[in-house]
Amino acid sequence: MRDKKHILRVLLKGGILTPGVLIKLCELASMNENKVISFGSRQDILFDILPTKKTEAEDFLTKHAIDFEWKSDSKPKTQNIVSSFVANDVFQSTTWVNPGAYQFILEGFNYHPKIKINVVDPVQKLVPHFSGHLNFIASTHEDYWHLFIRRSGEEQMIEWPELIYSADVPAIARHLEGIAFNNKSVSKHQLIQTINDELKLNTLSNFETLKRSPNFPPYYEGIHKMASGNDLWAGFYWRNNKYSIRFIENVCSLCLQTGIARISITPWKSFLVKNIKQEHRLMWEQMIGHFGINMRHSSFELYWHLPFANKEALQLRRYLVQQFDKVDIRTFGLTFSIGQPDIPFTSVVIKKRWYPNWFNWLNLFKTYSIYYAKDFNPESNQYLSYRKSASFKELPKVLIELSKKYYASLPELKSELSKPMPIKIDLLNVHQCKACLSVYVPQIGDELLGIDAGTTFTDLPEEYKCSCCGADKSAFEEQKMRKELFVIK
């Protein structure tokens, strides 16, 4: 009997890597008889290592300064730092949060975190905001971040009372890992006091509270124009999360040929290539066509969390996608997972139901329990039961009912749609001739009579006459008229 393969988990700070590093990983994967690699939900990469080559793989990764751990171990030793770098310049972003801002913080992590850390821009919607234990969320003040702490088993997150300076993010994360998560009896007050005593932080006390719009995730697949400039971005998603090594190598090669320095991984087991020049688009289209890649998956299919390498979960997702496509149902704004995630960022959870030993025969029939996040907020810590038991065939119908419940639960959106948008009308004080109805606008003046713009009606000479009909100044009366009727420079 062959020894069981080891699952290698490659840790990439912020989900960022160079084409050169990715080529090296493909080389290692090929050396271990892999034809595909997979992505994880923490912006990491996973593939198998042959049992006889574990030491060789460790030496290879160490030589190339690539962080890793063995997923086959009982508990993760380290965690990957998640960032929204992947969304920068692709979707709407906070102005000051640029690639340099992410790189500066990520480079400060000179240790391997054991807890989940997120560094996220709240304006973008691709990367979940609160899926970490420590969630650094960009503020409106340049180089300052909100901090929200989520401890397992606690319903409410702890919000840090001050904004954290970019340079202090790695230090406070390291200290909090040792204090807040090794000793969960430490209260919020004790936590803040201890950190302030041990670290000299450059914090900001007067700041705006965090404002977040409805969390409708964007469509992240295909080739599109970037939010800034004329460059393009390409998003790649394979529904089985098995990316051909040949395809990945071709992507890296094309990046190197065309001067693209970074590849970004999403938390949705997919990846993006940014800054593709317009003149190189045909090259990318040809490469995509050569591999016959589908770039038109439905948005419903893009936002799922599945256990790694779980064939049953993959089959269930495929079945549900097919059923939803048949009835053309809308699920925009919802995210789904099969199995309960340890740190939730999903709206709807589908769990296979298992019966006790004395009813073990019932496990022969596939039945599922369905839960949804409180207020359908994918970053909530609370899940409510929607259906305790649904058969395999009933499941699509139940999820369709739940999606309708979600849309019915959006009173703010509903009320906004039902109300006409207020129209802002700017009015000007003008004087209108009663004889011919021509108008004197102070902001325009009267070029025909040599009256400069900005001259008020009162300041006009008493001998002023209407330039249209010659009526005296006394023939004008004051009126309010819409500004848009006049061309004012």
Side-chain angles (χ1 to χ4, degrees), residues 333-356:
L334 290 172
T335 58
F336 298 80
S337 81
I338 296 177
Q340 178 74 48
D342 55 345
I343 293 293
F345 49 108
T346 186
S347 311
V348 180
V349 178
I350 304 161
K351 292 182 69 176
K352 188 173 180 179
R353 190 171 184 191
W354 295 97
Y355 292 89

Side-chain angles (χ1 to χ4, degrees), residues 76-142:
K77 295 185 181 71
T78 55
Q79 288 290 350
N80 199 43
I81 301 168
V82 162
S83 83
S84 53
F85 176 93
V86 62
N88 191 254
D89 280 340
V90 172
F91 305 109
Q92 188 178 3
S93 302
T94 300
T95 307
W96 67 266
V97 184
N98 53 37
Y102 291 108
Q103 294 279 13
F104 177 74
I105 291 175
L106 294 171
E107 287 171 3
F109 282 90
N110 56 4
Y111 72 100
H112 296 135
K114 295 180 176 62
I115 59 174
K116 297 177 180 178
I117 298 172
N118 286 16
V119 181
V120 177
D121 178 353
V123 176
Q124 61 78 41
K125 303 302 177 188
L126 179 62
V127 178
H129 300 165
F130 299 108
S131 61
H133 295 106
L134 299 181
N135 303 280
F136 294 93
I137 312 295
S139 75
T140 55
H141 302 272
E142 185 170 352

Side-chain angles (χ1 to χ4, degrees), residues 176-188:
L176 284 171
E177 181 176 316
I179 300 168
F181 296 92
N182 292 337
N183 185 0
K184 293 184 180 179
S185 63
V186 177
S187 67
K188 174 182 176 180

Side-chain angles (χ1 to χ4, degrees), residues 74-242:
S74 56
K75 284 188 177 180
K77 295 185 181 71
T78 55
Q79 288 290 350
N80 199 43
I81 301 168
V82 162
S83 83
S84 53
F85 176 93
V86 62
N88 191 254
D89 280 340
V90 172
F91 305 109
Q92 188 178 3
S93 302
T94 300
T95 307
W96 67 266
V97 184
N98 53 37
Y102 291 108
Q103 294 279 13
F104 177 74
I105 291 175
L106 294 171
E107 287 171 3
F109 282 90
N110 56 4
Y111 72 100
H112 296 135
K114 295 180 176 62
I115 59 174
K116 297 177 180 178
I117 298 172
N118 286 16
V119 181
V120 177
D121 178 353
V123 176
Q124 61 78 41
K125 303 302 177 188
L126 179 62
V127 178
H129 300 165
F130 299 108
S131 61
H133 295 106
L134 299 181
N135 303 280
F136 294 93
I137 312 295
S139 75
T140 55
H141 302 272
E142 185 170 352
D143 267 332
Y144 283 91
W145 303 76
H146 299 273
L147 170 58
F148 294 86
I149 303 170
R150 186 198 290 273
R151 295 199 283 195
S152 299
E154 294 184 5
E155 186 174 319
Q156 296 295 326
M157 286 189 293
I158 297 172
E159 182 177 359
W160 205 260
E162 297 174 308
L163 297 182
I164 309 297
Y165 186 56
S166 291
D168 293 332
V169 168
I172 193 172
R174 190 167 195 169
H175 274 69
L176 284 171
E177 181 176 316
I179 300 168
F181 296 92
N182 292 337
N183 185 0
K184 293 184 180 179
S185 63
V186 177
S187 67
K188 174 182 176 180
H189 175 75
Q190 292 171 322
L191 202 61
I192 295 167
Q193 187 63 49
T194 303
I195 292 295
N196 288 335
D197 289 344
E198 294 184 1
L199 296 176
K200 292 183 179 179
L201 298 174
N202 178 10
T203 56
L204 191 64
S205 300
N206 297 319
F207 58 90
E208 294 180 20
T209 56
L210 181 64
K211 295 177 182 178
R212 298 173 63 236
S213 56
N215 193 24
F216 297 128
Y219 192 84
Y220 60 77
E221 190 185 32
I223 297 180
H224 307 275
K225 197 171 182 179
M226 293 186 69
S228 58
N230 293 318
D231 288 352
L232 306 167
W233 63 269
F236 300 97
Y237 165 84
W238 288 18
R239 57 165 58 101
N240 61 3
N241 193 24
K242 292 181 179 180

